[in-house]
Amino acid sequence: MKPEREQWSSKIGFILATAGSAVGLGNIWKFPYLVGENGGAAFIILYLICVVLVGLPIVIAEILIGRTAQKNPVGSFRELSKSNPFWIGIGLLGVITGFIILSYYNVIAGWSIGYVVESIKGTFENIDNPKAGGDLFISLSSSSFWSVGFHFLFMVFTVYIVYFGVTKGIEKAGKILMPTLLILIILLVIRGVTLEGAQKGINYLIQADFSVITTKTVLLALGQAFFSLSLGMGALLTYGSYMSKKENIPSSAISIVGLDTFVAILAGFMIFPALFALGMQPDQGPALIYNILPIMFNYIPGGYIFRIFFFLLLSMAALTSTISLMEVITSFVVDELKTKREITVIILGLIVFSIGVPSALSSGVLKDFTIFGLTYFDLFDFIAANIFLPLGGIFIALFTGWFWSIKKALPSLLEGADDFNPTLIKTWIFLIKFVAPVMVLIILLSSLGVL
Ligand code: TRP
């Protein structure tokens, strides 16, 4: 007899787990530095436009495909396309992308746990300038033992949760970690905005300077929306496959996208007011949270404890994301090869850990080992985030709008949502058929340098 497929035990469980996938390093690490480098509020507005016009429609489509087929990405496309090899290939591309992203994402997630440990040890206490903070970051991340060790530890956490399955593992983690994360982030925001001189940072976030917007900025915003919403590789599809047909997809999707966006903006308010209050520069790029922040806490009353909170928060946000990536590949193997979840997760964890080791060494011993001028880490990030995710996104939109077709997708969408505002449904159809594929095609071509 076929074992019952697990289902989320509640709507809020699904929303928190899925928002947990979306809320991650992308929100807390990447969004603030993109805002910092691209003109503050102007970038935020642009980002919001991308989220509403492209992100939300594809989030709905991805969840819908999964919920309709109740399978992993490959199984879902196989079922809904009646075994068309092209679409099965698109599902497979998603699973492969999951392997790649998890392998390097887990490395940065490992650093965040490493920073919790260093914060507790008091490593940052006597460091008083960003340059020294940067040197410390380089010395930590280039140590093979430190970097690979925390990469391993983080993989153990991820495996541990996915091991227990959908309700007892992933849903439970989301229900505990997401509210804790929100509380911690609000605490840190209050700490930041009440520092003397914080107003400058607040102004930076709410005043828009459109003169700095170029086509590159638009592309950055769109790419960030994709990554931050976990779009384009079947993570939302897989989570949707555990959703009951009684639930309302559009309204859940709005909550998930809303939470993700809210946390990204809160992360801005957590970081910039404090940064400005201390007279530090906002345009530090990717180094912002590992180089500058640990130092920033030295100038804040209660900094020792707030620093630990900050890196704990970062680790928790990353963990709810790594488990979603792990669940995609696990559900694929479990569904397709009929293996047992427990042993499958452990083996996959070891495989992904191994694939990630060169990424963990990319800041150290493998720093000078480059392919097309990129380190192993950067190459993986570029291929997955800038090529495979947009490609997956285009095909999810085209599949829903044209191949599987609105005629079949719509009745399935309306299950559990038949009272949803009809104008919004019509808008979704227009966005998924035309706007989303075209806009994503533009990002893809430009990240390949064609445009
Ligand atoms: N969205 C997460 C973040 O912002 C990262 C992530 C998790 C992801 N699962 C994904 C990105 C699937 C793309 C695809 O950090």
Side-chain angles (χ1 to χ4, degrees):
M1 202 183 77
K2 202 168 136 231
E4 268 296 295
R5 189 174 182 80
E6 268 198 280
Q7 270 193 355
W8 307 105
S9 69
S10 63
K11 178 174 177 179
I12 186 74
F14 165 72
I15 290 176
L16 288 178
T18 314
S21 165
V23 173
L25 298 167
N27 304 59
I28 300 170
W29 164 66
K30 201 159 179 201
F31 185 76
Y33 85 71
L34 287 176
V35 172
E37 286 182 331
N38 297 287
F43 184 82
I44 300 183
I45 294 170
L46 207 59
Y47 177 78
L48 292 178
I49 295 172
C50 295
V51 163
V52 173
L53 294 187
V54 182
L56 183 60
I58 308 185
V59 168
I60 295 176
E62 235 194 273
I63 298 176
L64 177 65
I65 294 172
R67 187 186 66 169
T68 308
Q70 306 266 310
K71 297 213 167 55
N72 70 84
V74 173
S76 291
F77 276 106
R78 181 191 297 118
E79 175 149 328
L80 299 183
S81 74
K82 307 212 170 47
S83 300
N84 178 318
F86 176 79
W87 293 108
I88 296 176
I90 295 300
L92 202 58
L93 177 71
V95 175
I96 293 168
T97 310
F99 265 101
I100 301 178
I101 297 186
L102 182 56
S103 77
Y104 71 81
Y105 191 90
N106 197 69
V107 170
I108 321 180
W111 293 346
S112 65
I113 257 299
Y115 264 54
V116 173
V117 174
E118 300 299 336
S119 299
I120 295 174
K121 278 168 51 189
T123 310
F124 308 105
E125 289 296 288
N126 296 318
I127 296 182
D128 59 1
N129 65 75
K131 165 87 177 59
D135 291 345
L136 180 65
F137 172 66
I138 291 171
S139 87
L140 291 171
S141 63
S142 66
S143 146
S144 308
F145 179 74
W146 193 87
S147 195
V148 176
F150 284 113
H151 168 48
F152 184 79
L153 182 67
F154 211 86
M155 189 56 77
V156 171
F157 291 149
T158 305
V159 165
Y160 177 79
I161 291 172
V162 178
Y163 181 96
F164 289 103
V166 176
T167 39
K168 290 204 199 73
I170 300 172
E171 185 172 346
K172 199 166 148 202
K175 277 186 180 161
I176 299 172
L177 295 176
M178 288 304 287
T180 317
L181 187 142
L182 278 176
I183 295 170
L184 282 182
I185 210 168
I186 289 171
L187 249 157
L188 286 159
V189 170
I190 295 174
R191 176 64 286 187
V193 298
T194 51
L195 288 169
E196 202 171 322
Q199 190 59 41
K200 270 209 312 233
I202 300 174
N203 291 345
Y204 184 72
L205 287 169
I206 58 180
Q207 284 167 2
D209 176 7
F210 282 100
S211 68
V212 297
I213 302 288
T214 61
T215 44
K216 185 175 150 255
T217 333
V218 181
L219 297 166
L220 281 176
L222 197 57
Q224 170 65 10
F226 243 76
F227 188 82
S228 185
L229 293 169
S230 302
L231 273 186
M233 53 139 288
L236 300 174
L237 185 157
T238 305
Y239 276 18
S241 76
Y242 304 120
M243 193 185 190
S244 134
K245 306 227 163 158
K246 292 200 282 295
E247 303 288 3
N248 186 322
I249 296 182
S251 90
S252 305
I254 291 172
S255 308
I256 293 160
V257 171
L259 266 172
D260 185 63
T261 309
F262 179 64
V263 173
I265 292 176
L266 271 187
F269 279 97
M270 166 169 75
I271 293 172
F272 290 111
L275 205 70
F276 275 85
L278 301 171
M280 293 173 168
Q281 291 305 317
D283 52 348
Q284 299 287 337
L288 184 68
I289 78 175
Y290 288 106
N291 292 3
I292 314 277
L293 285 194
I295 314 310
M296 178 180 97
F297 287 108
N298 281 338
Y299 296 93
I300 292 180
Y304 175 81
I305 198 81
F306 284 110
R307 178 166 40 223
I308 299 175
F309 280 175
F310 177 80
F311 286 105
L312 261 181
L313 167 121
L314 194 63
S315 309
M316 290 185 326
L319 184 61
T320 49
S321 297
T322 54
I323 60 186
S324 77
L325 291 159
M326 186 57 126
E327 179 60 23
V328 172
I329 59 183
T330 305
S331 74
F332 165 71
V333 175
V334 170
D335 283 357
E336 300 294 318
L337 305 179
K338 310 272 177 278
T339 53
K340 272 183 105 83
R341 165 178 290 268
E342 290 79 0
I343 182 78
T344 308
V345 185
I346 295 173
I347 294 172
L348 287 173
L350 285 171
I351 295 174
V352 180
F353 165 74
S354 316
I355 304 176
V357 168
S359 290
L361 298 176
S362 283
S363 326
V365 289
L366 291 184
K367 197 167 72 222
D368 299 320
F369 178 77
T370 57
I371 308 163
F372 307 121
L374 297 171
T375 63
Y376 194 87
F377 181 107
D378 292 335
L379 183 73
F380 266 29
D381 183 33
F382 180 77
I383 292 177
N386 297 329
I387 301 179
F388 288 177
L389 289 184
L391 206 58
I394 293 178
F395 285 118
I396 288 165
L398 292 178
F399 182 78
T400 312
W402 303 93
F403 187 87
W404 179 31
S405 83
I406 293 294
K407 213 168 94 222
K408 296 202 189 109
L410 193 59
S412 195
L413 181 70
L414 291 177
E415 273 184 83
D418 45 7
D419 53 353
F420 202 79
N421 184 322
T423 316
L424 288 180
I425 300 273
K426 282 204 195 99
T427 314
W428 173 74
I429 295 174
F430 176 71
L431 293 174
I432 204 74
K433 285 183 89 156
F434 305 104
V435 179
V438 171
M439 280 184 71
V440 183
L441 186 67
I442 296 173
I443 343 181
L444 183 64
L445 294 180
S446 79
S447 56
L448 296 177
V450 182
L451 282 183

